[in-house]
Amino acid sequence: MSIMQMDQAAVAATYKRFPVEIVSGKGSVVVDPQGKEYIDMGSGIGVTAFGIADEAWQQAVIEQIGKVQHMSNLYYTEPCARLATMLCEKTGMKKVFFSNSGAEANECAIKVARKYALQQHGADHYTIVTLQQSFHGRTLATLAATGQDVFHSQFLPLPEGFVSVPANDIEAIKAAAIEHKAAALMLECVQGEGGVRALDADYLQAVAAFAKEQDILLIVDEVQAGNGRTGKLYSYMHFGIQPDIISTAKGLSGGLPLGATLMSAKVENVLTYGDHGSTFGGNPVCCAAAISVFGRLTDELLAEVMAKGEYIREQLIGAPGVEAVTGLGLMIGIKTTKPAAEVLKTCMDNGVLCLTAKDKLRLLPALNIPQEVLAKAISVIKAACAE
Ligand SMILES: *Cc1c(COP(=O)(O)O)cnc(C)c1O
């Protein structure tokens, strides 16, 4: 039996997988069982920040596995404490709760917001206002937070206390927040799954000012756009706003499951003993991996991310079959004349793995993809768009 046959027989059919089996890789190149190489322009959906089998990352993981692979959260471990310290130092946030995924990082953010609003404003202040075309996860609460009805209809009833409004419409979010006595506004500064769309800077600034004035918390979902992806450490840093809570995951640990919820001074003491927990959250191996990633998100690396993003834009804007290029840094959406799924298929046949988001081709390459590998991938993508 091939990997594909075995998988189809025994793994739940929730993923529409491409007929590609990956057995190994190095950097931005992955390899199938026959030795065919693909350039990986998706990084496991923005997860393998420094590529496949990155040496520094591997070393950090192996070293920690050799010491202790897991302890319960009843005890202290160094990687967890060190990573939280790094995250706070780099963002000005005060406390971190570690979990295992983006959805869980958002669940924690929602719990913090609900408890804060209960304490400050009363029991009827529990609603989380989110944006249409957002994506916040697959658990029931984060599904409710996700402003896309396609994900909802078969899983009703969803937890209550979530409403979504159109993005970039300041009056709509203000009205919903007042009407529903919002506990928090929750958004992605660059919507990922919703079509790789950066929100308007003046909208984000107006939202942040309104939230502050009303003492409604601002939760920024940095699960996909965070950890260097857009050319800043976190995407909100492009827009001159200050969130009360940041959630992140995907690229944080470079390929191991880790979520983090960062809390500002305003909410740092909201969660107390017994309020929240996770058996695996803050796992020492995942945290050691994240320290290896996070320690390398230097100004030089971020400048490189910006430069590579610019290179991709220069190559693609105005190219045949390309209608628009969206996103920030190395989080890129390409509106193609042909259906994005067809362009993706052509790229795959020609050895380049891409993603889609709604009607766009989406690229989330490793932050350190070598320029010559990137150039090769872009030439394949350009040809596929033009075909
Ligand atoms: C992927 C994603 C999530 C969900 O993360 P999981 O790790 O799959 O739970 C949440 N928010 C955003 C913005 C994402 O891109």
Side-chain angles (χ1 to χ4, degrees):
M1 261 211 251
S2 69
I3 299 170
M4 214 182 299
Q5 288 163 334
M6 224 174 2
D7 186 297
Q8 285 168 356
V11 176
T14 58
Y15 304 107
K16 196 171 175 203
R17 299 195 205 276
F18 297 109
V20 174
E21 303 171 345
I22 299 300
V23 292
S24 64
K26 189 79 197 157
S28 287
V29 175
V30 292
V31 185
D32 80 2
Q34 288 73 44
K36 176 171 173 175
E37 294 190 345
Y38 295 88
I39 299 175
D40 178 13
M41 294 296 281
S43 308
I45 318 196
V47 168
T48 47
F50 287 94
I52 303 288
D54 170 72
E55 268 163 39
W57 182 90
Q58 264 185 341
Q59 181 131 23
V61 169
I62 290 166
E63 203 174 292
Q64 185 57 43
I65 285 179
K67 289 183 192 162
V68 54
Q69 81 275 32
H70 174 83
M71 278 302 290
S72 95
N73 279 310
L74 295 172
Y75 308 98
Y76 297 97
T77 51
E78 190 192 347
C80 171
R82 268 187 59 203
L83 177 62
T85 305
M86 289 169 90
L87 287 166
C88 288
E89 273 174 10
K90 291 282 190 178
T91 59
M93 303 304 258
K94 297 294 180 196
K95 290 276 164 61
V96 181
F97 180 87
F98 288 115
S99 53
N100 316 284
S101 67
E104 285 173 277
N106 285 332
E107 289 272 347
C108 176
I110 293 163
K111 284 179 77 170
V112 172
R114 289 249 172 104
K115 187 173 172 191
Y116 176 84
L118 170 72
Q119 290 177 335
Q120 300 294 320
H121 303 290
D124 53 349
H125 287 252
Y126 55 76
T127 297
I128 313 292
V129 181
T130 68
L131 300 183
Q132 289 168 11
Q133 303 303 315
S134 62
F135 185 83
H136 297 299
R138 302 289 200 155
T139 62
L140 288 169
T142 58
L143 260 193
T146 292
Q148 300 191 49
D149 289 337
V150 302
F151 293 119
H152 293 169
S153 57
Q154 302 177 88
F155 304 105
L156 303 175
L158 296 177
E160 60 177 310
F162 294 89
V163 294
S164 62
V165 295
N168 287 329
D169 180 342
I170 185 67
E171 294 313 322
I173 199 167
K174 282 184 179 177
I178 301 293
E179 183 194 338
H180 296 279
K181 298 188 169 67
L185 315 178
M186 178 161 160
L187 53 82
E188 302 152 86
C189 296
V190 187
Q191 293 188 324
E193 306 301 317
V196 197
R197 180 164 75 134
L199 300 185
D200 296 342
D202 51 358
Y203 170 74
L204 284 169
Q205 285 161 12
V207 168
F210 167 76
K212 192 170 178 193
E213 166 202 308
Q214 299 286 326
D215 194 28
I216 296 170
L217 298 175
L218 178 61
I219 303 171
V220 170
D221 180 340
E222 295 275 359
V223 172
Q224 185 163 157
N227 310 305
R229 174 56 50 193
T230 67
K232 296 267 190 196
L233 202 52
Y234 289 100
S235 69
Y236 75 82
M237 294 171 174
H238 287 281
F239 300 98
I241 60 169
Q242 194 55 55
D244 299 301
I245 304 174
I246 301 167
S247 58
T248 191
K250 287 198 170 93
L252 176 62
S253 190
L256 287 175
L258 184 65
T261 308
L262 282 57
M263 291 162 262
S264 67
K266 195 177 200 174
V267 293
E268 67 171 310
N269 296 317
V270 170
L271 293 183
T272 54
Y273 296 135
D275 277 343
H276 201 39
S278 164
T279 298
F280 285 116
N283 170 276
V285 179
C286 300
C287 287
I291 289 167
S292 154
V293 170
F294 211 73
R296 283 184 281 164
L297 300 179
T298 58
D299 290 345
E300 292 88 323
L301 189 276
L302 296 175
E304 205 185 296
V305 168
M306 281 313 262
K308 283 175 185 159
E310 276 316 303
Y311 166 81
I312 296 174
R313 279 177 188 76
E314 272 165 27
Q315 289 292 310
L316 291 176
I317 291 173
V322 175
E323 293 177 3
V325 183
T326 62
L328 262 177
L330 283 176
M331 181 170 176
I332 297 222
I334 306 165
K335 178 79 188 75
T336 51
T337 307
K338 280 200 310 181
E342 275 178 38
V343 178
L344 178 144
K345 169 84 170 52
T346 309
C347 290
M348 196 163 66
D349 292 343
N350 292 309
V352 175
L353 301 180
C354 301
L355 304 165
T356 58
K358 291 277 173 293
D359 62 345
K360 297 199 184 80
L361 196 69
R362 174 173 46 154
L363 310 180
L364 301 170
L367 305 180
N368 66 342
I369 185 171
Q371 178 59 35
E372 63 278 11
V373 179
L374 178 62
K376 199 167 149 193
I378 293 301
S379 76
V380 169
I381 293 166
K382 248 173 130 168
C385 290
E387 228 178 53

